[in-house]
Amino acid sequence: MSASRGWRHDAEDPSPSPSVGDTERPVPRWAIRLAYALPLLLLPACLWRLPFALHFTMGQEVQEGGLPAYWVSVPYVLGLSVLTEVVAILTIGLVRGWGEVAPAWIPVIGGRRVRPLAAVVPAVLGGLILTFLFTGVPLGGDRELALYGVIDTVEYTNGVWDALAMVCGTPLAAWGPITIALAIAYYRRRVRGVAAG
């Protein structure tokens, strides 16, 4: 089989790795799976957030000060959900050829090779920020948790709403570590490819 399609074999790694067909070097199977799973992993949090745009509080007790006007809440919530998914989809570039050579339709840089650090540095920094924001640390008590950048002090009207929020929001904690792992795999693959060339 050709080196650009199907299974590829690396002399340094005796186990074959699948390739998506457009990367310079083989992409580990785990990285492909994680990159494509990430947008789906974050989708429940994005969908759970949407009713807040129309002031449906998903069982949260309304905080003092009320809710913002619709002209603020609708674009904010929709924009946040869309931005979350766009960033997750961009992470797929760490396992695809368009993360190695910029697509031709992009002005100025289209068709040029992407330097490994130009992709790795933003991915690692973003992953660290996401880990910092969405990783819980105990504050005391049985279930009292706080997120570094986001304090979780919201009360729910009953346990069902609380459980739903936890099920939908918990995958956000994996976003940062997955992004960092994909960035490291990308860097190793690209730098090893340059060294071998």
Side-chain angles (χ1 to χ4, degrees), residues 86-98:
V86 166
V87 170
I89 290 168
L90 284 175
T91 307
I92 294 172
L94 296 171
V95 300
R96 293 295 310 263
W98 53 268

Side-chain angles (χ1 to χ4, degrees), residues 137-182:
V137 292
L139 289 178
D142 292 337
R143 291 195 61 230
E144 193 175 340
L145 276 183
L147 303 179
Y148 285 111
V150 184
I151 303 298
D152 188 14
T153 56
V154 178
E155 295 291 328
Y156 289 88
T157 55
N158 62 50
V160 174
W161 286 114
D162 191 15
L164 179 64
M166 188 168 290
V167 166
C168 293
T170 298
L172 289 170
W175 189 4
I178 287 173
T179 303
I180 293 169
L182 291 173

Side-chain angles (χ1 to χ4, degrees), residues 35-56:
Y36 280 96
L38 188 58
L40 297 174
L41 189 67
L42 301 177
L43 190 59
C46 293
L47 295 176
W48 177 83
R49 186 186 299 134
L50 291 178
F52 288 94
L54 301 175
H55 296 175
F56 184 74

Side-chain angles (χ1 to χ4, degrees), residues 1-10 16-27 32 96:
M1 229 175 229
S2 75
S4 63
R5 298 176 66 194
W7 292 89
R8 294 203 262 179
H9 186 72
D10 186 351
S17 296
S19 172
V20 291
D22 63 353
T23 57
E24 195 171 284
R25 304 218 8 118
V27 179
I32 294 171
R96 293 295 310 263

